[in-house]
Amino acid sequence: MPNPTPADRPADLLRAAADLLRAAATAAAEYSGSTTWQSVPHFPDQPDADFTTLMAGPGRRLHKGGGRGASYMNAPVSEYVALVGPGAGLALAAWLERAAEDAETVGADYRALAVARQLLGTTTTETDTATRCTHCGLEVEDRGDPGFGRYTPRWVHIPGGYQTCNPQQANSPRAAPPAAPAAPEEPTR
């Protein structure tokens, strides 16, 4: 069997996202001189005014231009950017690093993988998590047999076909999708 590519290994994907985010957050913090950013309204006495400036401290604007006078950003955008500034980015990168370590020992967290895929631009759609195990993030498939009697779902990890997330551990949780589909109705006679 060939060695898995980094995209096939959840720990490598998580580390790549953590590295990307940490580099961007560190560069932004160094450039701005702060890890805490603020959205400052241009007209504080007018609560409905939508003009704000993104600041990294007193007198340190984070965007330039704007033609005449001071540059501005729309308030919702500025407030969001300030909320997820370098401080949040560095904390998120540390969380992704811990998730990568966990992925190597107990299995990948599908939520951390979803964040990593968004950051790396490799996400497909929301359906990407529809067939992922809620416990370990690996792909699962229903191999229940509807042919005889009442249908009973039997979720297994693929590849491998294991019903438990970690077959080597006695207390390992069973494979389960985020929202298991409803069983087909029994015909009434």
Side-chain angles (χ1 to χ4, degrees):
M1 182 173 162
N3 287 335
T5 63
D8 296 333
R9 295 193 43 189
D12 292 340
L13 181 77
L14 291 164
R15 280 196 185 89
D19 292 345
L20 175 70
L21 186 58
R22 185 176 293 107
T26 300
E30 287 173 1
Y31 174 79
S32 68
S34 175
T35 58
T36 305
W37 294 352
Q38 302 146 341
S39 176
V40 179
H42 281 224
F43 309 106
D45 55 333
Q46 298 175 10
D48 292 338
D50 192 32
F51 302 111
T52 62
T53 299
L54 189 60
M55 306 287 284
R60 296 208 41 128
R61 281 192 194 147
L62 292 174
H63 50 94
K64 309 285 189 229
R68 295 178 264 168
S71 58
Y72 69 92
M73 294 178 84
N74 290 47
V77 173
S78 179
E79 290 165 6
Y80 176 76
V81 172
L83 179 67
V84 291
L90 292 170
L92 185 57
W95 175 70
L96 287 169
E97 277 292 330
R98 286 191 300 277
E101 292 168 11
D102 289 347
E104 291 179 328
T105 57
V106 296
D109 182 338
Y110 76 94
R111 295 160 292 210
L113 286 171
V115 170
R117 288 185 182 112
Q118 284 289 331
L119 290 169
L120 296 171
T122 60
T123 188
T124 53
T125 62
E126 275 189 36
T127 58
D128 189 33
T129 59
T131 57
R132 302 277 174 189
C133 179
T134 58
H135 310 292
C136 65
L138 296 175
E139 192 172 356
V140 292
E141 175 179 80
D142 183 8
R143 293 214 181 137
D145 185 3
F148 301 99
R150 190 172 178 98
Y151 168 77
T152 303
R154 185 173 73 91
W155 291 94
V156 298
H157 295 91
I158 53 177
Y162 298 110
Q163 284 189 294
T164 57
C165 294
N166 190 343
Q168 292 79 21
Q169 293 181 356
N171 295 341
S172 184
R174 296 182 76 70
E185 292 290 320
E186 290 288 322
T188 55
R189 296 182 190 206

